[in-house]
Amino acid sequence: MSASERLALINENLAEILNPEIIEKILEEGRNPKVYWGTATTGRPHCGYFVPAIKIAQLLAAGCDVTILLADIHGFLDNLKAPLELVAQRAEYYRLIIKAILEAVGVSTDKLRFVLGSDYQKSPEYVMDVYKMSSLISEHDAKRAGAEIVKQTDNAPLSGLLYPILQVLDEQYLDVDAQFGGLDQRKLFIAAKDWLPKLGYRERAHILNPMVPGLHGGKMSSSDQDSKIDLLDAPEVVTKKIKKAVSAPTVVEENGVLAFVEFVLLPASHLRGKREFVVERERDGLEPLVYTDIAQMHDDYKNDVLTPQLLKPAVAKSLNQLLAPINEAFQASKEWQEINLRAYPPPPKKEKKVKDKGSRHPGKQNPKELPIREGQ
């Protein structure tokens, strides 16, 4: 690919790029931009992870050197979302599932680098830089930088203020040209442009994905079972959840089902060789609707040519095809299954309390009511 073609693939479906000239210059020089994406290894990854995974796949296809940071220490710092005894297991689970997602869309993971945060974030140099930056950054600025990514509570633990400092320093210690993340991290990315030079480090570019609505219009969350589809859900479960998703007729704004086609299913089909999304209408005796871009889908949806009743089965079918190789890889790997149980152990079964019926249940006499025999 030419530099312009590589840049177009990097830019596809993005909300914004901060300091784009950094990436443009690297491409003009014929080098590969070094990009990292970090994920705190907390709750079970769900289908919302396809959104950053598709962009990571596009970055790899554009020749970028991509590092995925399995941020185990971040997961612990964020209001103890990941208990220390589980973070190592969850990090390994994330590594396996992210690799499986990328392979499911036909992208080679040979040039993908996984790094565990705790492998370098406990080094003397890194810790000293945390101290230095902590002395230069105000409490107000640290709170503002992490406002949309760190859980905010009354009397929050100090660890929440350290979280954004670590994420900014990761750009330097992972030796990258750019960091990739969602639009909810924009405040932190702006902070990184200001904070790194305070320690004499260079600015990086920042690649921002839009915030894609979940199946119920809001954010797809690991903690809300109804709002998310697990990457290992059975096909019938996926179909049921898509059927229950919010998708108002003729309304494209905040429509999580349409958004999933735009940011996952269409780009995934492109990466696999043929960019299209097919909506069957065989039941109505009509030819299928075949879409190669989201604009035509939006027009048809607004005009009620494409209805929720047609859209949802097509999305369920396409998503199940995407999930099939991930499920197959999981079923074929005993190691992955064991890691799954260790990382996300099932909740302990509640013991049934045996109700003490005392001595007054039917068939048993109270000693006080026993008849007195003669001679007693």
Side-chain angles (χ1 to χ4, degrees):
M1 285 189 287
S2 65
S4 59
E5 288 172 329
R6 294 173 73 188
L7 185 61
L9 194 52
I10 291 169
N11 286 337
E12 186 177 329
N13 278 346
L14 288 181
E16 186 179 7
I17 295 186
L18 304 177
N19 287 15
E21 68 280 357
I22 293 175
I23 295 176
E24 290 167 6
K25 184 180 178 182
I26 292 170
L27 292 173
E28 286 169 5
E29 293 171 352
R31 294 191 290 114
N32 293 339
K34 294 183 286 186
V35 185
Y36 107 83
W37 175 69
T39 179
T41 53
T42 54
R44 286 174 65 90
H46 48 70
C47 281
Y49 277 70
F50 266 116
V51 177
I54 289 295
K55 177 48 63 181
I56 290 167
Q58 291 176 325
L59 292 171
L60 287 168
C64 297
D65 296 330
V66 180
T67 296
I68 292 182
L69 172 63
L70 301 172
D72 52 343
I73 289 182
H74 285 79
F76 172 70
L77 290 177
D78 189 3
N79 214 26
L80 308 184
K81 281 184 179 178
L84 272 176
E85 61 272 15
L86 293 180
V87 289
Q89 301 298 333
R90 291 185 176 181
E92 183 60 16
Y93 182 89
Y94 269 64
R95 185 185 69 81
L96 290 167
I97 200 111
I98 290 167
K99 190 176 178 183
I101 290 173
L102 294 171
E103 289 172 349
V105 295
V107 173
S108 170
T109 57
D110 291 345
K111 291 186 178 180
L112 189 65
R113 179 173 70 132
F114 286 92
V115 176
L116 192 64
S118 56
D119 283 350
Y120 68 91
Q121 289 167 346
K122 294 186 286 187
S123 69
E125 297 81 9
Y126 188 93
V127 172
M128 195 64 222
D129 272 349
V130 171
Y131 292 157
K132 287 178 183 177
M133 195 167 280
S134 297
S135 72
L136 298 170
I137 307 304
S138 70
E139 176 191 4
H140 174 268
D141 287 350
K143 278 185 176 178
R144 182 176 61 185
E148 294 188 51
I149 56 172
V150 180
K151 189 174 181 180
Q152 304 290 312
T153 59
D154 294 332
N155 195 28
L158 182 62
S159 58
L161 298 178
L162 292 175
Y163 189 110
I165 291 174
L166 266 68
Q167 186 166 339
V168 167
L169 285 173
D170 289 338
E171 295 184 1
Q172 175 67 23
Y173 279 81
L174 291 171
D175 186 29
V176 295
D177 303 303
Q179 183 180 173
F180 164 55
L183 198 57
D184 57 341
Q185 301 195 60
R186 192 179 193 279
K187 290 178 181 176
L188 194 147
F189 290 169
I190 292 291
K193 286 159 55 67
D194 179 45
W195 295 0
L196 281 178
K198 291 179 185 291
L199 295 187
Y201 299 139
R202 62 185 172 92
E203 287 186 30
R204 270 67 178 186
H206 293 91
I207 302 170
L208 286 79
N209 246 2
M211 298 307 293
V212 178
L215 297 177
H216 292 270
K219 187 177 179 181
M220 198 177 284
S221 168
S222 295
S223 58
D224 184 354
Q225 293 298 318
D226 290 333
S227 79
K228 61 132 186 178
I229 295 173
D230 193 280
L231 290 159
L232 297 175
D233 274 344
E236 61 273 14
V237 174
V238 172
T239 301
K240 185 178 180 181
K241 288 183 177 180
I242 294 290
K243 190 175 182 180
K244 291 170 66 178
V246 175
S247 185
T250 73
V251 178
V252 300
E253 294 78 14
E254 292 300 307
N255 188 319
V257 183
L258 272 176
F260 199 79
V261 177
E262 179 177 2
F263 291 98
V264 176
L265 299 178
L266 268 175
S269 67
H270 187 200
L271 288 165
R272 287 183 293 178
K274 190 175 183 181
R275 185 183 182 90
E276 68 174 24
F277 179 74
V278 179
V279 179
E280 298 292 346
R281 296 190 296 174
E282 189 177 346
R283 190 177 62 181
D284 300 327
L286 299 171
E287 291 292 316
L289 297 169
V290 181
Y291 298 101
T292 56
D293 66 85
I294 197 63
Q296 185 60 52
M297 280 194 77
H298 282 180
D299 286 344
D300 280 0
Y301 198 82
K302 288 176 184 176
N303 295 318
D304 214 27
V305 174
L306 176 62
T307 64
Q309 292 76 18
L310 290 171
L311 175 65
K312 288 182 179 181
V315 169
K317 180 181 178 180
S318 186
L319 178 53
N320 276 324
Q321 289 172 347
L322 204 53
L323 291 175
I326 299 174
N327 275 278
E328 288 169 11
F330 177 75
Q331 296 300 331
S333 174
K334 190 175 180 182
E335 177 196 9
W336 189 356
Q337 294 168 32
E338 291 172 352
I339 289 170
N340 177 44
L341 287 173
R342 292 197 297 268
Y344 302 100
K349 291 182 179 179
K350 292 182 179 180
E351 291 185 13
K352 289 185 178 180
K353 290 184 178 180
V354 179
K355 194 171 182 180
D356 184 5
K357 298 179 181 178
S359 57
R360 291 188 175 273
H361 62 279
K364 188 168 184 178
Q365 288 179 297
N366 190 313
K368 293 181 181 178
E369 297 172 355
L370 289 172
I372 298 176
R373 295 177 184 174
E374 289 185 12
Q376 285 184 333

